Amino acid sequence: MVMDINEIREYLPHRYPFLLVDRVTALTVGESIVAFKNVSINEPFFNGHFPHHPIMPGVLVVEALAQVCGILGFKTVNKLPADGYVYYLVGSDNVRFKRPVMPGDQLQLEANVIRGKRGIWKFACRATVDGELACEAEIICAERKVA
């Protein structure tokens, strides 16, 4: 394991119930990251999406991908949220959902840097379950200093 939950919490400002990355298993600074989200029926969104057929909302799959992009971005520029920085999700292109994500699934989250320039990063992302594509997207994040 490259990063456990304690180190992930240093690189992401998110907290329960919005922290959607459980561990990072591979990270090459400036290039790529592989992480996991263990999907549990205890997630608060399953109460309403959908009570008799629980499915992880697609926007949260994209958010989980954006969070791994944030970790990769922070690691690449050697900054932390504690230093007063944040990565904002500012865009997504070519988002496609291929299979539902359900309780009990382990969501593998992958992001590869397409380019980074002046604090704006573009990533090619994939979310899979047991090797089967659940979602793919190009995600754009912006690094910003916050007061």
Side-chain angles (χ1 to χ4, degrees):
M1 180 179 340
V2 174
M3 294 174 71
D4 66 11
I5 192 64
N6 295 315
E7 189 175 1
I8 290 166
R9 288 168 50 101
E10 292 176 27
Y11 284 87
L12 287 177
H14 308 78
R15 294 298 177 262
Y16 178 84
F18 221 71
L19 179 58
L20 300 174
V21 181
D22 292 321
R23 68 185 155 119
V24 175
T25 56
L27 191 148
T28 303
V29 172
E31 291 182 22
S32 63
I33 188 171
V34 178
F36 288 90
K37 162 69 178 150
N38 296 309
V39 182
S40 166
I41 190 63
N42 295 325
E43 308 281 353
F45 49 80
F46 285 133
N47 288 329
H49 198 267
F50 301 100
H52 301 293
H53 183 64
I55 297 172
M56 183 174 183
V59 295
L60 292 181
V61 175
V62 173
E63 173 64 26
L65 288 167
Q67 288 182 19
V68 299
C69 293
I71 293 169
L72 180 56
F74 274 128
K75 282 282 198 178
T76 297
V77 298
N78 197 29
K79 294 178 182 172
L80 292 167
D83 300 326
Y85 290 91
V86 69
Y87 272 84
Y88 289 122
L89 169 61
V90 296
S92 57
D93 296 319
N94 304 313
V95 178
R96 297 290 180 269
F97 299 99
K98 303 295 186 174
R99 78 176 297 281
V101 178
M102 304 161 103
D105 286 345
Q106 186 176 60
L107 194 59
Q108 180 171 315
L109 307 162
E110 304 171 31
N112 293 285
V113 173
I114 296 173
R115 67 179 166 273
K117 188 174 183 179
R118 290 183 290 198
I120 306 292
W121 295 83
K122 187 169 189 176
F123 303 88
C125 301
R126 293 172 44 90
T128 59
V129 175
D130 295 327
E132 188 179 349
L133 185 63
C135 177
E136 60 186 347
E138 292 177 355
I139 291 179
I140 304 162
C141 296
E143 171 195 324
R144 294 293 181 255
K145 180 84 170 152
V146 291

